[in-house]
Amino acid sequence: MADYETPTPKVTTGPIRGSRKIHVGPLGVKMRAINLEPSCGEPPLNVYDTSGPYTDPSQIIDIARGLPEIRRDWIRARGDVEEVQQREVRPEDNGQLGPDRSGGVDPFPHVRKTVLRAKPGANVSQMHYARRGIITPEMEYVAVRENMGREALIGHIRDGQDFGASIPDHVTPEFVRSEVARGRAIIPNNINHPESEPMAIGRNFLVKINANIGNSAVASDVASEVDKMVWSIRWGADTVMDLSTGRNIHDTREWIVRNSPVPIGTVPIYQALEKVGGVAEDLTWEIFRDTLIEQAEQGVDYFTIHAGVRLPYVPLTAKRVTGIVSRGGSIMAKWCLSHHKESFLYERFDEITEIMKAYDIAYSLGDGLRPGSIADANDEAQFAELYTLGELTKRAWAQDVQVMIEGPGHVPMHKIKENMDKQLEACGEAPFYTLGPLTTDIAPGYDHITSGIGAAMIGWYGTAMLCYVTPKEHLGLPDRDDVKVGVVTYKLAAHAADLAKGHPAAKLRDDALSRARFEFRWRDQFNLSLDPDTAEKYHDQTLPAEGAKTAHFCSMCGPKFCSMKITQEVRDFAAKQNTSEFLATTNPLPSGEGDSPAGERGEGVTSESEAEAGMADMSKLYNETGRELYIGAGDREHD
Amino acid sequence: MADYETPTPKVTTGPIRGSRKIHVGPLGVKMRAINLEPSCGEPPLNVYDTSGPYTDPSQIIDIARGLPEIRRDWIRARGDVEEVQQREVRPEDNGQLGPDRSGGVDPFPHVRKTVLRAKPGANVSQMHYARRGIITPEMEYVAVRENMGREALIGHIRDGQDFGASIPDHVTPEFVRSEVARGRAIIPNNINHPESEPMAIGRNFLVKINANIGNSAVASDVASEVDKMVWSIRWGADTVMDLSTGRNIHDTREWIVRNSPVPIGTVPIYQALEKVGGVAEDLTWEIFRDTLIEQAEQGVDYFTIHAGVRLPYVPLTAKRVTGIVSRGGSIMAKWCLSHHKESFLYERFDEITEIMKAYDIAYSLGDGLRPGSIADANDEAQFAELYTLGELTKRAWAQDVQVMIEGPGHVPMHKIKENMDKQLEACGEAPFYTLGPLTTDIAPGYDHITSGIGAAMIGWYGTAMLCYVTPKEHLGLPDRDDVKVGVVTYKLAAHAADLAKGHPAAKLRDDALSRARFEFRWRDQFNLSLDPDTAEKYHDQTLPAEGAKTAHFCSMCGPKFCSMKITQEVRDFAAKQNTSEFLATTNPLPSGEGDSPAGERGEGVTSESEAEAGMADMSKLYNETGRELYIGAGDREHD
């Protein structure tokens, strides 16, 4: 990627190879157009774009100022918010008590002195508007964004298995409203994060992915912290969770939110724990509540709240192989045990909801008791918590607050669907947000793949958002390359799920790339892929020459062999004649094959002589056609 | 890997980290024992081992001599073979007419002058013995090998969904015989490849994987060609296909077979095509037949034969997006079109079978018309060929010749199961051998993952062997790293499938690794993984210190936070008391939750005062226990 002229500190900018930013409709919805070679006569392919202004060369990026507030007027025009003094930042907000793991981070230079909050008695959640029949600009933005090129497919036969989802042929603003109103989709966008481009998470929309970032164990500058977010969304992260701990977490978060075009999620209990020096027993409702307000005013779009980790469930984890692997879950379990009291998150849930609706923050109800190994999958502790999350979902909905549900974890393939089915039943179709799941424990170093398998499957079954896993899972902290591999792996898993669900627009990209592959449009093949840089790099390792980019062969077979060419011959040949005539001259199929698709074509049985004569003609005809074309071999697809 | 003192040319040798070779039972079946830290009190974990003598420091490796002939006496003892003069090698066998793509390769110095063949009228296939009720040493070897540690699990409740497979609690030689007799499993081992360690491919055995190798486009020495095979089996390839083309293919193959402890597969049509200068129209039955004899005498264990590409099916591919992507399929399609005759592979099938049974070569019936894109999946051409492969399977079985069936390819998730179901129906449960399938076309550079998803799923549904795909698929030739990534990805996919099928022994390894993870036995966690080198490397990138290998924390959380520790506290706590008493003192669950697992535990509802009192006691008790232990955070599993 080129670095465009931007004031320091710098982050990754520049267009994604072969693409340009386009703005669709009156709202100027940002999408990415992939240009194809003129020779193919195909229009550019428009794809969903999460990368924000960073991939738009026409934009000046200055992370010290933050992104434009595209939702500012929409929010204010509703007349239900008021400006209030921002809560004063205290030393403990930056974790002075904790270990210094993020290095020196200066405060964001343009912190807003006043922030927005719902007027007394008002509710500014998208769900609240939706339930009153109001279609917001956010909903309109989502509708345009989700459609992609699906208009081109009106009338096409749907090909997929959606397990009871209700994916429309065309997404209208009204459809978005109805999905949000019934809680089947959420649009996470805090009124204090007006920089965000609205997006929806729900099983009837495109499957989304989340990338986790966190402050570095070693000191690093602000730009590199912000760039983790920028890098994640460049490759397709739909939301980003900031899991930072230790010092400067408040300031780091401010830098990230002000520069993020995607929703930002956090786990507030982490910061609350910092404020009590890491001693879980010392956590109190007051400290936790103060932390929610602090982050709400900064603009965090969704909070992971582990309110389902209830005192009676904790002992259910005692017999597990890997016990409690969720950090938030273990913190609350420790609190419950040490006080032998019910979780304050559970007890105070409705008070938390009051805060959520004043800023339009969505719940991501945490699965603190999710399994951490194949051995613990689908056990009593996990499902006890899930049903409690279902109970809490209904309590949140009673106040028109948006909710999604977090899911496992580590689950063998045959137990994945049960997770989806129980979640749909227990949580009234609230969006499911799962971590993988990993389908085996024996491949540390490859857990982006063990989990990518589970992610694709549960996405197909109905999960709305997939939380990525990097190759470093269980082993260490992901670096820049790990983050990219994790994001791309989850993008392909999410897309495989969209394809299998029969999403009307998903197949457009596969078909465009397959046509490019068949026609040896190498550049188009690279540009249409999820990671054009890697695709071209791999190609060039074998055939670096510029000429090879347009050559009608590939390194797998060389110039002499190419199955793509023989197929073109088959086409020319089939085109040059009436197929029924062709078939009539072929050998009749052996009897006993009537139950096969071949048998069903019912070729007419012809006499030996007729067949012989016809074959001679065909052979002559063929030899007059493109037999000069060299013939071939496919790629190394094992023969 | 250390390079042990071996005469040049050298290949990769040395034990896999943390493991030692063991020999089980009277036949000395080779397996790999993973030693665990004494502290855990667990016995070594024995795992299936494909790596042969190369990972056994006690063996002297000399590829110029080849491997010991462990099956030599078994084969001769049956008294049904005779020694014959080996067919003389001709210049065209080494593709002198083709392009030089493999560089200078000397003939194998110890080529056998005489080879084995069935006596006139005899049939030396394992299926023939099996059907006469004979249990061969090969079947006994397979039985021991497949069992792994499953004896330890006798009596355990089976946990899995096997879609109608018949996986036994314990594999007996008689079970192996019966599976081979009915064609549900094959043991590919040519009588001229006595160096091979017998293995079975069948849906009621462990899911296997194949790695493809081929001579380099650039000149390379013999050792590097042989090392491609050695490197593949080191990481777990159960069989290897030699897809070499161009010059020296005969000599290269000899070097590979003589040094391979795993079955070797080939696609004979490739070499036949070389013999006619790459002009498909010039192929004849005589040249093809001669090539089969040539490779049969060298010891190739299974042949991919594209006998299902029939003339009437060729036009069915004309409307496809990517036509014919199989190299063998396109060669035969071209032959059929140019002569407008039925395929000689189909017409001469029974004659080919006569050759197969004289050496015990297994059929791998090629899917020359498999889809090369999502758009072409499950179409008429593909299934027409599949049903013909079913017809040919029965014809091969009529002569007691072993058969497996090759499958796709590119298939979206919702169309994968139909492939398995149709194959089982059409081919009478003959083992299915699929390439992936890739579940989307949009991720070139990551097709080991797009296909790993499909491979895990179809393996779960019943596919017996998965042909690997590397990150370079569609883009270029895989290098050493690509081959390793491809093999490990497919090993984890095959294992995920075994787990989901409920294979009795599969879970042992996941559980052992999860216990090691929970107990911070880092070295055990590395050594139990599919790729210990990568796991340790990733760990060390964040925490290089030796001490960190035994530290009771990891880099994801640091020394202060660790959910594993809190879980240990939960256990200590739960152990210190009667759980029913514990539960009785917890808050009663809210009514209306009766339909949840939690509700089913039926905690007694207690009065406020009782609860208060009990909680105070519990709190006191807890504070007397391990509350000093620091508490924590799990890995970065998204909270």
Side-chain angles (χ1 to χ4, degrees):
Chain A
M1 294 71 41
D3 259 344
Y4 281 77
E5 257 330 303
T6 62
T8 52
K10 284 189 178 179
V11 293
T12 305
T13 57
I16 291 166
R17 178 181 307 223
S19 298
R20 62 193 158 80
K21 185 82 67 178
I22 58 173
H23 300 80
V24 181
L27 294 178
V29 174
K30 292 175 183 163
M31 300 193 74
R32 182 159 68 91
I34 301 173
N35 301 317
L36 303 179
E37 288 180 12
S39 65
C40 72
E42 295 181 28
L45 185 80
N46 295 349
V47 297
Y48 195 99
D49 177 38
T50 59
S51 61
Y54 302 98
T55 52
D56 184 351
S58 73
Q59 300 288 312
I60 300 300
I61 302 298
D62 178 359
I63 68 170
R65 296 220 149 262
L67 299 180
E69 303 183 3
I70 68 169
R71 296 198 302 121
R72 177 192 168 88
D73 298 341
W74 304 349
I75 294 165
R76 288 162 191 265
R78 292 190 275 256
D80 51 8
V81 297
E82 61 184 6
E83 291 203 344
V84 297
Q85 205 59 27
Q86 185 175 33
R87 167 188 169 288
E88 202 179 321
V89 179
R90 313 197 188 97
E92 60 266 35
D93 297 347
N94 276 308
Q96 303 306 333
L97 300 170
D100 191 341
R101 299 177 66 201
S102 74
V105 172
D106 300 326
F108 182 71
H110 301 284
V111 173
R112 300 180 188 123
K113 292 286 156 257
T114 63
V115 297
L116 297 183
R117 188 178 65 195
K119 287 178 178 170
N123 181 340
V124 297
S125 82
Q126 292 288 318
M127 186 180 214
H128 189 62
Y129 303 130
R131 286 182 164 183
R132 285 181 301 157
I134 298 168
I135 293 175
T136 63
E138 286 86 349
M139 297 170 196
E140 293 176 23
Y141 195 101
V142 165
V144 173
R145 200 172 190 186
E146 289 277 335
N147 274 323
M148 303 196 297
R150 89 171 79 175
E151 296 77 359
L153 293 166
I154 299 297
H156 273 231
I157 297 123
R158 189 75 67 91
D159 177 13
Q161 156 62 281
D162 64 12
F163 296 104
S166 307
I167 303 165
D169 287 333
H170 188 263
V171 179
T172 61
E174 167 55 25
F175 177 77
V176 177
R177 185 204 62 75
S178 66
E179 290 292 292
V180 172
R182 66 183 287 173
R184 206 152 61 176
I186 65 172
I187 300 176
N189 49 9
N190 186 322
I191 55 175
N192 287 309
H193 187 198
E195 302 89 347
S196 71
E197 298 169 13
M199 55 80 72
I201 301 168
R203 72 190 280 221
N204 294 322
F205 297 100
L206 292 161
V207 175
K208 306 301 189 299
I209 70 166
N210 171 73
N212 296 327
I213 60 173
N215 52 351
S216 309
V218 294
S220 62
D221 62 17
V222 163
S224 69
E225 295 300 332
V226 173
D227 198 47
K228 290 174 183 172
M229 175 274 294
V230 173
W231 184 244
S232 302
I233 64 176
R234 179 180 186 86
W235 299 112
D238 294 284
T239 76
V240 168
M241 288 194 77
D242 176 10
L243 303 181
S244 297
T245 57
R247 291 198 188 174
N248 306 309
I249 49 179
H250 177 97
D251 292 335
T252 302
R253 187 187 309 121
E254 187 72 24
W255 280 96
I256 291 168
V257 175
R258 295 286 72 80
N259 288 285
S260 175
V262 304
I264 297 296
T266 63
V267 188
I269 200 80
Y270 292 180
Q271 186 177 16
L273 188 68
E274 297 284 343
K275 293 178 179 178
V276 293
V279 183
E281 303 89 306
D282 298 348
L283 281 169
T284 65
W285 160 244
E286 291 66 29
I287 289 167
F288 185 74
R289 184 182 184 289
D290 175 65
T291 305
L292 294 182
I293 301 293
E294 173 191 351
Q295 299 194 13
E297 292 185 347
Q298 285 187 292
V300 173
D301 302 285
Y302 62 89
F303 286 154
T304 292
I305 306 284
H306 296 92
V309 180
R310 299 192 53 193
L311 178 62
Y313 306 156
V314 175
L316 301 179
T317 65
K319 290 188 190 62
R320 283 179 160 183
V321 169
T322 49
I324 300 174
V325 294
S326 156
R327 183 175 177 177
S330 64
I331 292 167
M332 291 313 300
K334 173 125 187 175
W335 189 93
C336 292
L337 284 183
S338 64
H339 297 285
H340 208 74
K341 281 209 167 68
E342 185 54 270
S343 159
F344 62 82
L345 298 178
Y346 180 81
E347 302 260 297
R348 304 281 193 155
F349 188 76
D350 294 332
E351 290 172 69
I352 297 172
T353 305
E354 290 286 344
I355 296 168
M356 308 294 262
K357 74 182 181 189
Y359 302 89
D360 193 12
I361 300 166
Y363 273 113
S364 185
L365 294 176
D367 56 335
L369 302 183
R370 66 170 172 276
S373 58
I374 293 297
D376 297 340
N378 296 21
D379 72 353
E380 188 181 16
Q382 182 194 334
F383 287 137
E385 178 185 40
L386 177 61
Y387 279 84
T388 295
L389 298 184
E391 169 211 339
L392 296 172
T393 298
K394 291 164 186 64
R395 279 164 62 182
W397 284 351
Q399 293 195 57
D400 296 349
V401 167
Q402 308 189 94
V403 180
M404 63 180 166
I405 309 293
E406 296 183 7
H410 294 240
V411 184
M413 285 189 285
H414 67 292
K415 292 184 175 178
I416 290 176
K417 192 156 189 308
E418 181 183 16
N419 279 271
M420 191 71 234
D421 295 342
K422 277 195 157 64
Q423 189 273 344
L424 288 172
E425 176 220 328
C427 305
E429 291 193 274
F432 204 20
Y433 169 30
T434 63
L435 175 73
L438 284 70
T439 52
T440 171
D441 300 330
I442 69 168
Y446 299 80
D447 280 334
H448 57 304
I449 304 177
T450 62
S451 68
I453 293 166
M457 291 173 72
I458 204 163
W460 175 26
Y461 298 150
T463 289
M465 186 157 76
L466 308 169
C467 182
Y468 90 159
V469 170
T470 77
K472 292 280 172 64
E473 185 75 19
H474 299 116
L475 297 170
L477 295 171
D479 61 21
R480 186 175 170 90
D481 293 338
D482 297 320
V483 167
K484 180 179 178 179
V485 168
V487 169
V488 174
T489 298
Y490 272 64
K491 285 303 273 192
L492 71 86
H495 184 79
D498 287 330
L499 271 180
K501 288 167 76 175
H503 188 292
K507 197 161 167 292
L508 290 174
R509 191 169 180 178
D510 295 78
D511 294 351
L513 192 145
S514 295
R515 284 191 298 270
R517 180 171 285 158
F518 179 71
E519 293 162 13
F520 297 98
R521 285 181 275 120
W522 286 100
R523 290 205 179 288
D524 288 354
Q525 192 179 156
F526 303 149
N527 295 342
L528 287 163
S529 70
L530 290 176
D531 179 0
D533 300 327
T534 297
E536 179 153 9
K537 187 183 78 184
Y538 284 178
H539 172 271
D540 290 0
Q541 282 172 13
T542 316
L543 285 177
E546 228 5 66
K549 299 291 196 317
T550 51
H552 273 207
F553 62 88
C554 45
S555 58
M556 285 73 78
C557 324
K560 186 157 193 179
F561 306 107
C562 179
S563 64
M564 296 301 191
K565 302 308 290 181
I566 176 67
T567 305
Q568 285 173 345
E569 292 181 58
V570 172
R571 284 185 183 176
D572 301 342
F573 185 65
K576 279 196 177 54
Q577 61 196 285
N578 164 327
T579 302
S580 62
E581 175 202 341
F582 176 92
L583 290 173
T585 61
T586 59
N587 293 340
L589 293 166
S591 61
E593 204 176 328
D595 61 334
S596 82
E600 289 151 13
R601 287 203 321 287
E603 290 79 3
V605 177
T606 54
S607 78
E608 275 305 305
S609 57
E610 282 171 339
E612 287 303 332
M615 285 193 248
D617 297 344
M618 290 301 135
S619 182
K620 181 161 173 298
L621 171 57
Y622 177 81
N623 290 319
E624 288 158 9
T625 66
R627 73 162 286 170
E628 289 64 34
L629 289 171
Y630 48 76
I631 77 110
D635 51 41
R636 295 192 78 85
E637 288 188 349
H638 101 294
D639 61 56
Chain B
M1 292 75 37
D3 258 345
Y4 281 76
E5 257 330 305
T6 61
T8 50
K10 284 186 178 182
V11 293
T12 306
T13 57
I16 291 165
R17 177 181 306 222
S19 299
R20 61 193 160 79
K21 185 83 65 178
I22 58 173
H23 300 80
V24 181
L27 294 178
V29 174
K30 292 175 182 161
M31 299 192 72
R32 182 159 68 90
I34 301 172
N35 302 316
L36 304 178
E37 288 180 11
S39 65
C40 72
E42 295 181 29
L45 185 81
N46 296 348
V47 297
Y48 195 99
D49 177 38
T50 58
S51 62
Y54 302 98
T55 51
D56 184 349
S58 73
Q59 299 289 311
I60 301 299
I61 303 298
D62 177 359
I63 68 169
R65 296 219 149 264
L67 300 181
E69 303 183 2
I70 69 171
R71 296 174 47 234
R72 176 190 168 88
D73 298 341
W74 304 348
I75 294 163
R76 288 162 191 265
R78 294 190 274 255
D80 51 9
V81 297
E82 60 184 5
E83 291 203 344
V84 297
Q85 205 59 27
Q86 186 176 31
R87 169 189 168 287
E88 202 177 321
V89 178
R90 313 195 188 100
E92 59 267 35
D93 298 348
N94 277 307
Q96 303 306 335
L97 301 170
D100 191 340
R101 298 178 68 200
S102 75
V105 173
D106 301 325
F108 182 71
H110 301 284
V111 173
R112 299 179 190 125
K113 292 285 156 257
T114 63
V115 296
L116 296 182
R117 188 178 65 196
K119 287 177 177 169
N123 181 340
V124 297
S125 81
Q126 291 288 319
M127 186 179 215
H128 188 63
Y129 302 132
R131 287 182 162 182
R132 285 181 301 157
I134 298 168
I135 292 176
T136 63
E138 286 85 349
M139 297 171 195
E140 292 175 21
Y141 194 102
V142 164
V144 173
R145 199 173 190 184
E146 288 277 334
N147 274 322
M148 303 196 299
R150 85 171 82 175
E151 296 79 358
L153 294 166
I154 299 299
H156 273 232
I157 297 122
R158 187 74 66 91
D159 177 13
Q161 155 64 282
D162 64 12
F163 297 103
S166 308
I167 303 166
D169 288 334
H170 188 264
V171 179
T172 61
E174 167 54 25
F175 177 77
V176 177
R177 186 204 62 76
S178 66
E179 289 293 293
V180 172
R182 65 183 289 174
R184 206 151 62 176
I186 66 172
I187 300 176
N189 49 11
N190 185 323
I191 55 175
N192 288 310
H193 186 196
E195 302 90 348
S196 71
E197 298 170 13
M199 55 80 72
I201 300 167
R203 72 190 280 220
N204 294 321
F205 297 100
L206 292 161
V207 175
K208 306 301 190 298
I209 70 165
N210 171 74
N212 296 328
I213 61 173
N215 53 351
S216 307
V218 295
S220 62
D221 63 17
V222 163
S224 69
E225 294 300 331
V226 173
D227 198 47
K228 290 174 184 173
M229 176 273 296
V230 172
W231 183 245
S232 302
I233 64 177
R234 179 181 185 87
W235 299 112
D238 294 282
T239 76
V240 169
M241 289 193 79
D242 176 10
L243 302 182
S244 297
T245 57
R247 293 198 187 173
N248 305 308
I249 50 180
H250 178 97
D251 292 335
T252 302
R253 187 186 309 122
E254 186 73 24
W255 280 96
I256 291 168
V257 175
R258 296 285 74 78
N259 286 285
S260 175
V262 304
I264 297 296
T266 63
V267 188
I269 200 80
Y270 292 180
Q271 186 177 15
L273 187 67
E274 297 285 344
K275 294 179 180 178
V276 294
V279 182
E281 303 89 306
D282 297 350
L283 282 168
T284 65
W285 160 244
E286 290 66 30
I287 289 167
F288 185 74
R289 183 182 185 288
D290 175 66
T291 305
L292 295 182
I293 300 292
E294 173 190 350
Q295 298 195 14
E297 291 186 347
Q298 284 187 294
V300 173
D301 302 286
Y302 62 88
F303 287 155
T304 291
I305 305 285
H306 297 92
V309 181
R310 299 192 54 194
L311 178 61
Y313 306 157
V314 175
L316 300 180
T317 65
K319 289 188 190 60
R320 283 180 159 183
V321 169
T322 49
I324 300 174
V325 295
S326 157
R327 183 174 176 179
S330 63
I331 292 167
M332 290 314 299
K334 172 121 187 177
W335 189 93
C336 291
L337 285 184
S338 62
H339 297 285
H340 207 74
K341 280 208 168 65
E342 184 55 271
S343 159
F344 61 83
L345 298 179
Y346 180 81
E347 302 262 299
R348 304 282 193 156
F349 188 75
D350 294 332
E351 290 171 69
I352 297 172
T353 306
E354 290 286 343
I355 296 168
M356 307 295 262
K357 73 182 182 190
Y359 303 89
D360 193 11
I361 299 165
Y363 272 112
S364 185
L365 293 177
D367 55 336
L369 301 182
R370 67 169 170 276
S373 59
I374 292 297
D376 297 341
N378 295 22
D379 73 353
E380 188 180 17
Q382 182 195 336
F383 287 137
E385 178 185 39
L386 177 62
Y387 279 83
T388 295
L389 298 185
E391 169 210 339
L392 296 173
T393 298
K394 290 162 187 66
R395 279 164 63 182
W397 284 352
Q399 293 196 58
D400 296 350
V401 167
Q402 307 189 93
V403 180
M404 63 180 167
I405 309 294
E406 296 183 7
H410 294 240
V411 184
M413 285 190 285
H414 67 292
K415 293 184 175 178
I416 291 176
K417 193 156 189 307
E418 181 183 15
N419 278 273
M420 191 71 233
D421 295 342
K422 278 197 157 64
Q423 189 272 343
L424 289 171
E425 176 221 326
C427 305
E429 290 192 276
F432 204 20
Y433 169 29
T434 62
L435 175 72
L438 283 72
T439 52
T440 171
D441 300 328
I442 71 168
Y446 300 79
D447 280 334
H448 58 303
I449 304 177
T450 62
S451 67
I453 292 166
M457 292 174 73
I458 205 162
W460 175 27
Y461 299 151
T463 290
M465 185 157 78
L466 308 170
C467 183
Y468 90 160
V469 170
T470 78
K472 291 282 173 64
E473 184 75 19
H474 299 115
L475 297 170
L477 296 170
D479 60 21
R480 188 176 170 90
D481 292 338
D482 297 320
V483 167
K484 181 179 177 179
V485 168
V487 169
V488 174
T489 297
Y490 271 65
K491 285 303 273 192
L492 72 84
H495 184 79
D498 287 331
L499 270 180
K501 287 167 75 176
H503 188 292
K507 198 160 167 291
L508 290 173
R509 191 170 179 177
D510 296 78
D511 294 352
L513 191 145
S514 295
R515 285 190 297 271
R517 180 171 285 156
F518 180 70
E519 293 162 13
F520 296 100
R521 284 181 276 120
W522 286 100
R523 290 205 179 288
D524 288 354
Q525 193 180 155
F526 303 149
N527 296 342
L528 286 163
S529 69
L530 290 176
D531 180 0
D533 301 326
T534 297
E536 177 152 10
K537 187 183 78 183
Y538 285 178
H539 172 271
D540 290 0
Q541 282 173 12
T542 317
L543 285 177
E546 245 340 88
K549 299 292 196 316
T550 52
H552 273 205
F553 62 87
C554 46
S555 58
M556 283 74 78
C557 326
K560 186 156 192 176
F561 306 108
C562 179
S563 63
M564 296 301 191
K565 303 306 293 181
I566 177 66
T567 304
Q568 284 174 347
E569 292 180 56
V570 171
R571 284 184 182 179
D572 301 343
F573 186 65
K576 279 195 177 57
Q577 61 196 285
N578 165 326
T579 301
S580 63
E581 175 200 341
F582 176 91
L583 290 174
T585 63
T586 59
N587 294 339
L589 293 166
S591 60
E593 204 177 327
D595 62 332
S596 82
E600 288 151 16
R601 287 203 320 288
E603 292 80 1
V605 176
T606 56
S607 76
E608 275 305 306
S609 58
E610 282 170 338
E612 287 303 332
M615 285 194 250
D617 297 346
M618 292 300 135
S619 182
K620 182 162 174 297
L621 170 59
Y622 178 79
N623 291 318
E624 289 159 10
T625 66
R627 71 162 287 170
E628 288 66 31
L629 290 171
Y630 48 75
I631 78 108
D635 50 42
R636 296 192 76 86
E637 288 189 349
H638 100 294
D639 58 57

